Amino acid sequence: MINYIFKITLLFLAATSALLAQESSWRKLTTEPYQGKQDDIAFVDENNGWYVNGYGRIFHTTDGGTTWEKQLEQKGTFFRTIAFLDKNTGFAGTVGTDYFPNVTDTIPLYGTKDGGKSWKPVAYKGPYVKGLCAIDIVKEQFINHGKIDYKVHIFAVGRVGSPANIMISHDAGETWTSHSMDNDCKMLFDIKMLNKNEGFACAATNEDITQSNALILKTTDGGKTWKKVYQSSRPFETTWKVAFPSANVGYVTIQSYNPDTNITQQRIAKTTDGGNTWSEINLVADNKAREFGIGFIDENHGFVGTMSSGFETTDGGQTWQKIDLGTACNKIRIYKDEKGKTYGYAIGVNVFKL
């Protein structure tokens, strides 16, 4: 009897593990071919989403990525980031000129109010923003005439290759201001705001990659001021993307461009105290596995995209297993709907769905 119960228990555990593995598997979607790394994807629910690429193209789906409609093709524009507040209102940022060839568009940010059918340049007050690499949205609840409503704050940063700037809107994108962050860093790649005041920026110390260290900055006043909370000790490094599955636990990918092929260790920065301190954890010893996107379902279960493949952890980064996320997976977005269902989308050379 005991052996029977033991066998049943083992079968149950095996079935549960298989189900969990199936639930967290990624499936490649059919999209228009693209030769390089595509940079961002965003969804407002499981079905409605958009992605962008360096051909100046914006694609839209209403069926969870089964089919895609090309909404825009704008030659000379390199779209780097995209974010939507709802099915109608969204913003797309460009990397700007003097970094990639054949890029002529000097407008850093475009906006739409009709779900991406039309896009217009976004006006802003402040210093010129050469390019953007990431957009983050914070929705703040408040009571409006006896009902719960939201104030929407939007933060956008860039760029790779310098200069470092931030754009901020506190009225759902109706008005914007820009500020230079060149005194804090020289390149900006990603931003994650935990609320309208507290957040983190992925940065680099120098525009010369041979002299650059990976850098994480923290703000507690909505981006007015920043302080350094992490800096790597090695040259040829930058940070890249950030994920905070909880208020205390966060992860940042660290990129190494060291030309020495004997330097193989790839690392991730992790915090368990809300970003006040960070430690390094190892991803893989492979000089070809330059890191890009990162996303976590919870504090322990997450994914990293690299130039060569994807990786998955279920123990907070202590161990990693190689998975198929395509090549150069640059952005991983994990969502939970109102019923608690988890789903996700990832983009690089290809687009994947969790």
Side-chain angles (χ1 to χ4, degrees), residues 13-14 30 43 54 79 86 93 138 149 175 180 188 191 196 207 226 237 239 246-247 265 273-274 291 296 309-310 322:
L13 290 174
T30 301
F43 276 70
F79 284 118
D86 51 42
V138 173
D149 204 343
T175 61
S180 172
L188 281 166
I191 185 167
K196 67 176 180 178
E207 62 268 36
W226 297 84
E237 286 190 347
T239 55
S246 69
Q265 188 62 60
D273 61 5
E291 299 170 37
F296 271 72
S309 65
K322 187 177 287 189

Side-chain angles (χ1 to χ4, degrees), residues 187 189 203-206 208-216 230-239 254-255:
M187 292 191 275
F189 312 104
T205 60
N206 201 306
D208 180 354
I209 192 61
T210 67
Q211 305 296 317
S212 177
N213 300 137
L215 181 67
I216 301 173
Y230 164 85
Q231 181 175 339
S232 71
S233 59
R234 300 164 298 271
F236 293 98
E237 286 190 347
T238 73
T239 55
I254 301 172
Q255 286 193 340

Side-chain angles (χ1 to χ4, degrees), residues 91-275:
F91 299 91
T94 76
V95 78
T97 58
D98 306 321
Y99 193 79
F100 294 112
N102 304 316
V103 176
T104 57
D105 191 354
T106 60
I107 296 169
L109 189 64
Y110 289 86
T112 181
K113 292 187 176 181
D114 56 14
K117 296 176 183 176
S118 62
W119 295 84
K120 296 179 180 179
V122 170
Y124 59 96
K125 294 181 179 179
Y128 172 64
V129 176
K130 185 131 189 179
L132 296 171
C133 288
I135 302 171
D136 193 34
I137 298 169
V138 173
K139 293 185 177 181
E140 175 194 11
Q141 284 189 350
F142 75 104
I143 297 174
N144 184 12
H145 299 292
K147 296 182 179 180
I148 294 178
D149 204 343
Y150 294 90
K151 293 180 181 178
V152 178
H153 311 273
I154 313 173
F155 301 81
V157 295
R159 69 172 190 162
V160 62
S162 80
N165 290 287
I166 186 169
M167 294 178 66
I168 301 173
S169 173
H170 292 298
D171 54 11
E174 292 297 319
T175 61
W176 292 80
T177 58
S178 65
H179 306 281
S180 172
M181 287 182 59
D182 270 339
N183 290 333
D184 302 293
C185 61
K186 297 304 178 185
M187 292 191 275
L188 281 166
F189 312 104
D190 200 9
I191 185 167
K192 175 59 182 178
M193 299 297 295
L194 304 183
N195 51 60
K196 67 176 180 178
N197 294 316
E198 185 179 6
F200 301 87
C202 293
T205 60
N206 201 306
E207 62 268 36
D208 180 354
I209 192 61
T210 67
Q211 305 296 317
S212 177
N213 300 137
L215 181 67
I216 301 173
L217 302 172
K218 180 178 181 178
T219 182
T220 56
D221 56 13
K224 296 183 180 70
T225 61
W226 297 84
K227 70 174 183 177
K228 178 179 68 177
V229 290
Y230 164 85
Q231 181 175 339
S232 71
S233 59
R234 300 164 298 271
F236 293 98
E237 286 190 347
T238 73
T239 55
W240 199 249
K241 296 300 179 184
V242 57
F244 264 85
S246 69
N248 289 322
V249 176
Y251 300 84
V252 168
T253 46
I254 301 172
Q255 286 193 340
S256 173
Y257 289 86
N258 198 314
D260 185 351
T261 56
N262 293 315
I263 306 297
T264 61
Q265 188 62 60
Q266 308 294 341
R267 302 172 177 88
I268 292 169
K270 178 179 179 179
T271 180
T272 57
D273 61 5

Side-chain angles (χ1 to χ4, degrees), residues 265-329:
Q265 188 62 60
Q266 308 294 341
R267 302 172 177 88
I268 292 169
K270 178 179 179 179
T271 180
T272 57
D273 61 5
N276 293 315
T277 61
W278 296 76
S279 58
E280 293 178 353
I281 56 177
N282 292 336
L283 176 68
V284 65
D286 180 359
N287 72 306
K288 295 181 181 179
R290 180 174 299 137
E291 299 170 37
F292 291 107
I294 189 165
F296 271 72
I297 294 174
D298 54 39
E299 291 183 349
N300 294 310
H301 191 181
F303 312 91
V304 168
T306 76
M307 183 65 79
S308 57
S309 65
F311 290 86
E312 179 178 13
T313 182
T314 56
D315 56 14
Q318 296 181 53
T319 59
W320 296 88
Q321 294 78 41
K322 187 177 287 189
I323 62 170
D324 183 14
L325 270 175
T327 54
C329 179

